[in-house]
């Protein structure tokens, strides 16, 4: 059976080539709660806002490239190069104007959400991965200069790196990143790490292997952004199986960087949403790097149906749906202490505390307006859970975790409006 399954994964992998034209459609996600009433409008504070249906995000990928310049295809196979550039998107059709997009983006109207369309991938730099001592190509300087120019003109001086989940095409992953950028008022610089997923539920085993091979490429990306860009912080959002890259990737940095080099890493917020990585591995890795970023957040939905299937595949519960028996008593105690003392924030999400959330939800970071709102506020303001309006709880073992209050939308909007008043008084 094991050999048959491996053969099936191989056949699927060989038949699957990811192209721009072959994908599941991504529609504009529900408006985050913080923007849904129209009281808060991040577009209004963007001094360089282009009022159009175009939105661009950076990308980096370790996918192997096939074809020539006129017919470039990024395959599902990990390669020995890190390719970096810009993904150009449009929201809606050519007839979709800025007024329509703005109205949808500042209200809770969820009917007829426009689709995101990937126009093209503009590759700007190619970095070798097999020899870290090799000279960095000059084109990296060109790419970094373009990034730094955008940072200089942006209200948000951070870079957010989005690492997508399994069963995801280049289009789908980059579109999710583009949505995040759009709902920051296009004030944040966003980069999608497009690791080689096979884009098939039947090829989950392939995705697991490719994620494992992609962790060093992700680590190289973070070090390059840290060295060549002027970003004040490098924030990271790991979704689902993207956690199988981010968790070990940050552990590599934690083991390699010592002393001054460790302090020079400008990691900001690290957020694990629906984390599909073994809870034992997650805690083990976390211990090596928790002191580097500003904070590490883990969302937990104990009824997550996708992570239930992932647990069956791996034989161990996932960090986003953990079971106590999969942790040693020492690791569990360390996690409890870290949740109280060391910048490790656990957020519990379920249908009882998050109104409108389906019990088995997995895609909640972008599909539910409360949770997407909390992600935005954390990354943009570097606010801790209490300052983001969440409620503190402790379980019977002493683990601290946070939940959303029933009045969350009003609460977070009130917090931001009050902060704006205080800021105005200081001017």
């Amino acid at each position: 059976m094991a050999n048959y399954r491996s053969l099936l994964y191989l056949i699927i992998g060989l038949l699957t080539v990811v192209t721009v034209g072959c994908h599941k459609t991504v529609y504009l996600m529900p408006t985050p709660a913080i923007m849904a009433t129209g009281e808060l409008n991040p577009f209004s504070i963007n001094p360089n806002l282009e009022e159009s249906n175009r939105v661009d995000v950076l990308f980096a990928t370790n996918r192997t490239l096939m074809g020539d310049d006129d017919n470039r295809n990024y395959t599902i196979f990990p390669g020995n190069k890190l390719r970096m550039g810009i993904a150009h998107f449009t929201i809606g059709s050519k007839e979709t104007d800025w007024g329509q997009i703005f109205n949808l983006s500042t209200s809770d109207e969820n009917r007829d959400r426009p689709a995101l369309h990937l126009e093209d991938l503009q590759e700007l730099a190619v970095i070798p991965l097999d020899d870290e001592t090799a000279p960095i190509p000059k084109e990296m300087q060109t790419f970094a200069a373009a990034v730094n120019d955008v940072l200089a003109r942006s209200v948000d001086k951070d870079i957010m790196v989005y690492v997508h989940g399994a069963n995801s095409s280049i289009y789908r992953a980059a579109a999710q990143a583009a949505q995040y950028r759009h709902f920051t008022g296009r004030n944040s610089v966003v980069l999608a790490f497009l690791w080689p997923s096979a884009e098939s539920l039947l090829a989950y085993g392939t995705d697991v292997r490719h994620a494992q091979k992609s962790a060093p490429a992700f680590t190289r990306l973070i070090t390059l952004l840290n060295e060549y860009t002027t970003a004040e912080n490098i924030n990271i959002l790991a979704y689902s199986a993207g956690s199988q890259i981010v968790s070990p990737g940050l552990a590599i940095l934690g083991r390699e960087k010592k002393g001054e080099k460790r302090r020079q890493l400008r990691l900001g917020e690290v957020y694990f949403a629906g984390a599909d990585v073994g809870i034992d591995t997650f805690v083990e890795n976390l211990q090596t790097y928790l002191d580097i970023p500003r904070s590490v957040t883990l969302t937990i939905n104990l009824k997550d149906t996708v992570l239930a299937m992932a647990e069956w595949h791996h034989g161990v519960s996932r960090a986003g749906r953990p079971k106590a028996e999969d942790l040693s008593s020492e690791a569990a105690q360390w996690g409890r202490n870290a949740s109280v003392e060391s910048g490790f924030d656990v957020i519990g999400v379920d249908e009882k505390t998050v109104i409108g959330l389906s019990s088995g939800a997995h895609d909640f970071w972008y599909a539910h307006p409360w949770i997407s709102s909390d992600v935005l506020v954390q990354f943009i303001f570097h606010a801790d859970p209490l300052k983001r309006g969440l409620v503190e709880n402790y379980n019977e073992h002493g683990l601290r975790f946070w939940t959303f209050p029933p009045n969350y939308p009003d609460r977070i909007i009130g917090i931001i409006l009050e902060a704006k008043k205080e800021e105005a008084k200081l001017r």
Side-chain angles (χ1 to χ4, degrees), residues 140-161:
M140 180 64 200
Q141 300 281 2
T142 304
F143 175 76
V147 174
N148 291 335
D149 179 63
V150 176
L151 282 168
R153 293 182 288 108
S154 298
V155 174
D156 182 5
K157 302 301 182 183
D158 297 346
I159 290 177
M160 194 280 268
V161 178

Side-chain angles (χ1 to χ4, degrees), residues 41-355:
N41 170 17
F43 299 103
S44 66
I45 63 172
N46 187 338
N48 302 297
L49 179 66
E50 178 187 343
E51 295 185 348
S52 76
N53 67 341
R54 291 183 58 84
V55 58
D56 298 337
V57 291
L58 306 172
F59 77 88
T61 182
N62 63 320
R63 292 172 181 258
T64 299
L65 188 66
M66 290 181 62
D68 53 30
D69 290 343
D70 295 327
N71 186 27
R72 297 163 65 85
N73 292 315
Y74 293 91
T75 74
I76 67 167
F77 302 107
N80 61 358
K81 293 181 175 63
L82 185 66
R83 300 176 181 276
M84 309 171 75
I86 304 172
H88 301 282
F89 279 90
T90 56
I91 301 175
S93 65
K94 293 181 179 178
E95 290 73 36
T96 306
D97 62 26
W98 171 248
Q100 293 173 277
I101 295 171
F102 177 82
N103 290 335
L104 285 172
S105 303
T106 54
S107 72
D108 59 2
E109 176 58 66
N110 284 325
R111 291 179 300 175
D112 301 322
R113 307 295 278 187
L116 275 76
H117 303 282
L118 178 58
E119 299 296 313
D120 69 276
L121 296 172
Q122 181 185 0
E123 193 174 288
L124 299 177
V126 181
I127 310 299
L129 292 172
D130 47 3
D131 183 6
E132 292 194 10
T133 64
I136 298 296
K138 290 183 178 180
E139 55 194 21
M140 180 64 200
Q141 300 281 2
T142 304
F143 175 76
V147 174
N148 291 335
D149 179 63
V150 176
L151 282 168
R153 293 182 288 108
S154 298
V155 174
D156 182 5
K157 302 301 182 183
D158 297 346
I159 290 177
M160 194 280 268
V161 178
Y162 176 61
V163 186
H164 61 85
N167 184 28
S168 187
S169 66
I170 281 181
Y171 157 76
R172 184 180 179 190
Q176 289 173 343
Q179 294 197 90
Y180 176 93
R181 170 167 164 76
H182 173 70
F183 280 108
T184 66
R186 304 184 183 179
N187 287 301
S188 297
V189 177
V190 180
L191 185 151
F193 179 61
L194 307 174
W195 59 277
S197 164
E199 195 189 350
S200 171
L201 287 173
L202 295 177
Y204 177 72
T206 299
D207 278 3
V208 169
R209 292 190 293 275
H210 289 184
Q212 183 179 17
K213 293 178 180 179
S214 298
F218 166 78
T219 304
R220 187 72 185 283
L221 170 64
I222 297 301
T223 57
L224 287 170
L225 294 177
N226 193 75
E227 181 176 354
Y228 284 89
T229 75
T230 58
E232 292 181 1
N233 297 278
I234 300 169
N235 303 315
I236 301 168
L237 174 54
Y239 173 47
S240 193
S243 304
Q244 296 177 32
I245 296 170
V246 173
S247 178
L250 293 180
I252 292 172
L253 286 176
R255 289 190 295 266
E256 290 183 349
K257 304 297 182 182
K258 307 295 181 183
E260 186 61 28
K261 290 185 177 180
R262 193 179 187 88
R263 289 187 290 272
Q264 289 172 352
L265 286 172
R266 304 190 305 278
L267 292 184
E269 314 297 331
V270 177
Y271 192 106
F272 290 91
D276 178 12
V277 60
I279 183 59
D280 52 346
T281 299
F282 176 82
V283 173
E284 179 182 353
N285 288 337
L286 185 61
Q287 294 180 61
T288 69
Y289 69 82
L290 181 56
D291 63 308
I292 302 177
R294 295 174 67 109
S295 73
V296 175
T297 299
L298 174 67
T299 57
I300 291 178
N301 178 7
L302 293 177
K303 296 181 181 179
D304 188 319
T305 54
V306 172
L307 295 186
M309 291 187 287
E311 177 185 343
W312 175 83
H313 177 94
H314 293 276
V316 64
S317 64
R318 318 316 286 162
R321 189 179 186 269
K323 292 180 178 177
E325 57 265 31
D326 289 332
L327 280 178
S328 68
S329 58
E330 293 80 10
Q333 184 60 52
W334 183 90
R336 289 191 289 269
N337 292 341
S339 73
V340 178
E341 303 168 356
S342 304
F344 174 45
D345 298 319
V346 178
I347 300 179
V349 297
D350 58 43
E351 75 278 14
K352 295 179 181 178
T353 59
V354 181
I355 297 173

